[in-house]
Amino acid sequence: MLITRKFHFSASHRVYNPALSDEENFRIYGKCSNPNGHGHNYVMDVTVAGEVNAETGFVMDLSEIKLLVEKEIIDKVDHKNLNLDVDFMNGILPSTENIAVKFWEQIESKINAPGRKLYSIMLQETINNSVTYLGKK
Ligand code: NI
């Protein structure tokens, strides 16, 4: 069984590799590498896989997922600059892929428990672009 909680947050970033010239960054990342950054209204689905608990009828209480993800991720990134303001993004190129991996690392050990585990993080940067991370394979 898969259960999913959806989250929304807004954040800004500049997608660039500091080891490359501005010209190379523009070739790879286009306007996403503009020096002063830009913002997105992100949507995230956190999905947990597990067995339905016979007593509660839940795989995991969705309100527990809500509180956990708000504390460990949303409160730290909402209305922030992902290049500058977020401790766990320090030195990380804030592509959608890299953000999803870092988010996974923030919550995996707190969600995994006997009978359930973090299954996926879907992070949507725009209506057309999203990534889904299933953990290290
Ligand atoms: Ni962007």
Side-chain angles (χ1 to χ4, degrees):
M1 177 81 74
L2 300 177
I3 63 168
T4 299
R5 181 67 161 77
K6 190 177 289 289
F7 298 87
H8 298 84
F9 64 95
S10 301
S12 65
H13 68 173
R14 180 192 180 195
V15 183
Y16 77 112
N17 182 336
L20 303 176
S21 69
D22 279 356
E23 194 177 61
E24 286 172 303
N25 272 301
F26 190 81
R27 186 176 54 76
I28 298 170
Y29 304 113
K31 62 187 180 183
C32 290
S33 73
N34 284 349
N36 293 329
H38 60 276
H40 294 285
N41 294 317
Y42 289 93
V43 179
M44 172 170 63
D45 285 348
V46 173
T47 299
V48 175
E51 300 303 319
V52 179
N53 182 288
E55 284 177 20
T56 64
F58 295 155
V59 171
M60 181 176 178
D61 188 339
L62 283 165
S63 66
E64 195 183 332
I65 300 175
K66 172 182 183 287
L67 292 174
L68 172 65
V69 173
E70 283 178 350
K71 176 171 182 274
E72 300 298 335
I73 296 175
I74 304 297
D75 290 351
K76 297 177 180 178
V77 300
D78 190 32
H79 289 72
K80 298 288 174 59
N81 180 312
L82 298 174
N83 299 88
L84 301 173
D85 299 330
V86 182
D87 56 358
F88 63 80
M89 290 300 298
N90 255 342
I92 304 295
L93 189 156
S95 63
T96 319
E97 290 88 333
N98 284 345
I99 300 167
V101 171
K102 298 311 285 186
F103 283 5
W104 179 282
E105 293 172 359
Q106 287 296 109
I107 59 172
E108 182 189 19
S109 67
K110 296 183 171 72
I111 285 185
N112 289 359
R116 69 177 199 230
K117 62 177 184 175
L118 182 58
Y119 178 79
S120 66
I121 290 181
M122 187 289 299
L123 186 62
Q124 178 185 299
E125 193 175 75
T126 71
I127 199 88
N128 293 320
N129 298 337
S130 67
V131 305
T132 300
Y133 185 51
L134 300 172
K136 277 204 176 89
K137 294 294 171 194

